[in-house]
Amino acid sequence: MSTESLPSRAETVIIGAGAVGCSVAYHLTELGAEDVVVVDQGPLPVTGGSSTHAPGIMFQTSPSKIQTKTAHYTSRLLKDAGVYTEVGGIELARSEERMDFLQRRVEWATSYGLPEPQLLEPEEVSEHFPLVDEDEILGGYYSPTDGQVAGTDALQWYIETSSARFFGNTEVTDIEASGGNVQAVVTDNGRIECDRCVLATNNWAYQTGQLVGLDLPIAPVEHQYVVTEPLEELQDNETSIGDATAGLEVPGDRQITEFMAQPPDRPVGRDQDNSLYFRTHGDGYGLGSYNHEPLVVDPDEMGTNGEESQASVHSFTEEHWTEATHPNRDKSPQQAFDELLPATQGTDFRVTENGIFVYTPDGMPVIGETAAIDGLWTGLAIWWTHSGGYGKILAEWMENGVPRLPSGPVDTSGIHVNRFEPHAGSKEYFTDRGGKRYQQVYSIVEPRWQPDDHRGLRVSPFYDHQQDLGAEFYQSGGWETPQWYEHNADLVSTYEDQIPDQDGWQGINRSPIEGAEHLHTRENVSMFDMTTFSSIMVEGSDAGAFLQRVCSNDMDIDVGQVRYTTMLNEGGTILADLTVARLDDDEYMVTTGGGNSPGIHGSWLENHAPETVSVTVEESAKCTVGLWGPNSRLLLQRVTEADVSNDGFPYFSCKRLYVGDVPVIALRVSYVGELGWELWAPSEYGRKLWETLWEAGQDLDVRPMGAGALESMRLEKGFRLWGTDVDTDVDPFAAGIPFAVDLDTDFIGKDALVETTESGIDTEVACLTLDDSTDVMLSGRPVYKDGEAVGYVQGGDYGYSVGESIAYTYLPSEYAEAGTSVRIDCEGERYDATVRDEPLFDPGRDKIIR
């Protein structure tokens, strides 16, 4: 901790000295960064944020690979530092549905590399938890490397170990930015000019974002925790109350910080059926509860430390403990704990709190450099569990341009600060969604679950027609996207012998209509709403040279040509896969997926473009129809005077034409492996575009097609989906798309790819089909070879045209050859599978290029 006065200049200023800010500072300086300054409004190390009022329990297993990986890295880092107690963690089941869920935990943990995950019988749980009533449980999930971090000790370790300079009792009052670059951090103790600034303010994230005009969608929420009076059953346990905060300035109730620093003497536990968790604190038990209605705090009202309170600790609300206020739970926290841990029944509490931490609309962290301001980075919405890992990722990203852990590059698509849709900054929206995520923390969330609030925010011009056709809408990036159409229910009987039943967990929120739409498109013609996909216009005299620099393929293409490529980071891993159409000498249209692509990929192109190149992200400016199927040419020719013959409009070409009266940029590309076009038009023409195609195709039995059919069709063709099959943790060679790379050109990431070609590829994408089952495989489920987990399912679906269940994975190269036999574990079942040559459907491309 620095005793000098606040400097007037630093290369990097980190705002927030909690778990995340300290981790970022530690990892930056470990990588060689110099002149790093950390400031916090509270005293050090007990700043008044959530890091020292949190009980520090760390359960590492998650359905998210990056959450699991960052948690495990954090546990190893803090264990080596001597501030982590590895007692193991046990998640209990009090229902059959929860036991099924715990089986998924084992599968996720196995996939993502956690050591020795296992299911326990009730009597085995009792060996670890003698105070748990064995009659109340059906079993448990045990992760032996789970445990608890002593928050105060960990912060002190970071501060003492890092060469960064730390300044407490320093409130940030402004962040200065000019010309799209961060300039300085202004505090009540002085102004610090800087090249980079990291927001690690968690509970105050919205407020610090507002200093530079950013609406960061991060909602503070209250969470209850208590520590019981001494229990007779724990009277022999050691306690060291008073040691953790000795000599430290502690805002508010010192007892809270003291008790949270006490290590447990047995595994940490969860009763997720009742949204509860627990651990020992010396001779008492700490009881935590998500089992109450969401108590969302106005992010503008977070406040600061007072003489009697920590800013992020609110008064305990007894009614939320004694009454059943959670909308999905029948029992109050008190009743559920009384049943599970009878020894705690009737005890008083030595410590009570409604501690505050934060949630985003999708429940994931906020990491990376902001699109609006160069040099302004975020490390937000992160708990102790993942703080070490995300600090490492962010530091690597800032210093070396590649977000990574020691195990390798990581996928940032689900955590990127620029992933949020335009409406996410609405305080009403993100506080409501944050509250919903709090409510769901321990809920069993079904596959393809959909929220029921804040719907209809973003709709395509085709929305009214889709409603009339009985679209089943799913929300993606705020868009209402049809998954299937009831209009096509009559097709199910036509293809019923090709559409197997999907039962159990894998069949939830699916419809046989998806299979019928798939098969109809293969035989006839369908219209798919692609409005959620993104177009980015790149224009100017240097546009071609710029695209050559940022794209891995040869972008020296003629006007009217289309080329598939990837965009890489400095480490050679995939930032995006793109389709680039050259419309004119100095005009290109870049297309990529929907969802978070506009914010992540569009902002990356904007930030890297020279002054002579204009980059315009046309989010919502265009609507798009995918017109696909053997009869697509016949239908399109009916509504345009342009030549759409194979000679006049070959595969992977583009031209401007009219569909009826509607001006369209037509790309002859197909994401489903059939003859077809993408038809891009200004949004105001969308209704007319749909009606023109629909009316002209009635005698061809034109049908609408939903996203469910798209997924199964693209897997049959082996087409990649960014964020699922390809992302920032793989390079194009491992991803099986070497044709998207031309090493005779110069581009960002080339040096890393050259090194890869010289050293060889260790891991490769592999297409699997099940040997004797039609069940759908779910992502994150382990793939085994000779009893060893060697990969996990990236994406899976049933291939209705090929008649086989398909799963894509990455395997060690020696196992990625066609014919290799493997096994997949999914939902407690074991499935034999075989590696196959890809694509499974139409490998000669006869259907797509005719």
Side-chain angles (χ1 to χ4, degrees), residues 271-491:
D271 172 16
Q272 292 171 290
D273 283 311
N274 293 287
S275 296
L276 306 174
Y277 64 92
F278 52 95
R279 75 167 179 95
T280 56
H281 294 260
D283 56 5
Y285 246 113
L287 312 175
S289 169
Y290 294 93
N291 186 355
H292 55 79
E293 62 184 337
L295 302 172
V296 182
V297 178
D298 185 332
D300 278 319
E301 302 297 327
M302 268 303 303
T304 58
N305 295 328
E307 291 185 5
E308 302 298 328
S309 64
Q310 288 190 31
S312 61
V313 176
H314 284 192
S315 298
F316 185 72
T317 48
E318 189 170 350
E319 66 273 18
H320 292 110
W321 190 265
T322 60
E323 300 173 15
T325 63
H326 192 292
N328 300 327
R329 299 287 182 257
D330 296 329
K331 300 174 182 177
S332 70
Q334 183 179 68
Q335 179 185 352
F337 270 130
D338 285 350
E339 295 171 352
L340 184 67
L341 296 167
T344 67
Q345 186 171 354
T347 62
D348 293 328
F349 302 139
R350 287 179 283 185
V351 171
T352 62
E353 64 168 329
N354 278 20
I356 298 175
F357 54 9
V358 293
Y359 285 90
T360 58
D362 58 12
M364 292 296 285
V366 178
I367 304 292
E369 188 175 20
T370 63
I373 302 172
D374 289 346
L376 184 64
W377 294 77
T378 59
L380 301 166
I382 300 166
W383 302 356
W384 262 119
T385 304
H386 312 99
S387 57
Y390 281 121
K392 172 66 171 174
I393 289 169
L394 191 58
E396 290 278 359
W397 204 347
M398 294 172 69
E399 284 294 292
N400 301 317
V402 181
R404 61 185 302 127
L405 290 168
S407 56
V410 298
D411 171 21
T412 57
S413 59
I415 59 173
H416 204 297
V417 62
N418 298 327
R419 74 184 183 273
F420 295 107
E421 52 273 10
H423 60 266
S426 159
K427 197 192 294 186
E428 179 182 2
Y429 175 84
F430 74 74
T431 55
D432 283 355
R433 282 289 168 89
K436 174 65 74 173
R437 291 297 174 180
Y438 179 90
Q439 179 182 320
Q440 288 182 323
V441 166
Y442 285 172
S443 297
I444 299 174
V445 181
E446 297 175 341
R448 299 184 178 187
W449 170 85
Q450 290 292 297
D452 55 13
D453 62 336
H454 297 282
R455 297 301 298 266
L457 287 169
R458 309 176 80 184
V459 298
S460 80
F462 320 134
Y463 183 68
D464 291 344
H465 292 300
Q466 292 165 339
Q467 285 185 308
D468 292 341
L469 293 167
E472 178 68 24
F473 289 105
Y474 282 14
Q475 195 175 72
S476 174
W479 289 98
E480 298 295 336
T481 59
Q483 192 72 12
W484 67 81
Y485 293 84
E486 288 298 326
H487 173 80
N488 296 325
D490 64 302
L491 294 174

Side-chain angles (χ1 to χ4, degrees), residues 632-698:
S632 58
R633 175 178 285 121
L634 178 59
L635 175 50
L636 183 58
Q637 192 65 80
R638 288 180 177 181
V639 294
T640 185
E641 295 181 357
D643 181 0
V644 297
S645 67
N646 199 43
D647 290 336
F649 203 154
Y651 185 53
F652 259 65
S653 65
C654 62
K655 63 171 67 175
R656 285 187 165 99
L657 51 78
Y658 290 93
V659 172
D661 299 329
V662 177
V664 164
I665 297 172
L667 277 59
R668 190 173 162 200
V669 296
S670 168
Y671 195 49
V672 298
E674 294 289 338
L675 174 69
W677 285 261
E678 294 179 3
L679 305 174
W680 297 72
S683 288
E684 66 269 24
Y685 288 98
R687 176 184 288 270
K688 188 63 175 177
L689 175 63
W690 183 281
E691 291 171 351
T692 300
L693 294 167
W694 185 258
E695 292 168 6
Q698 286 306 297

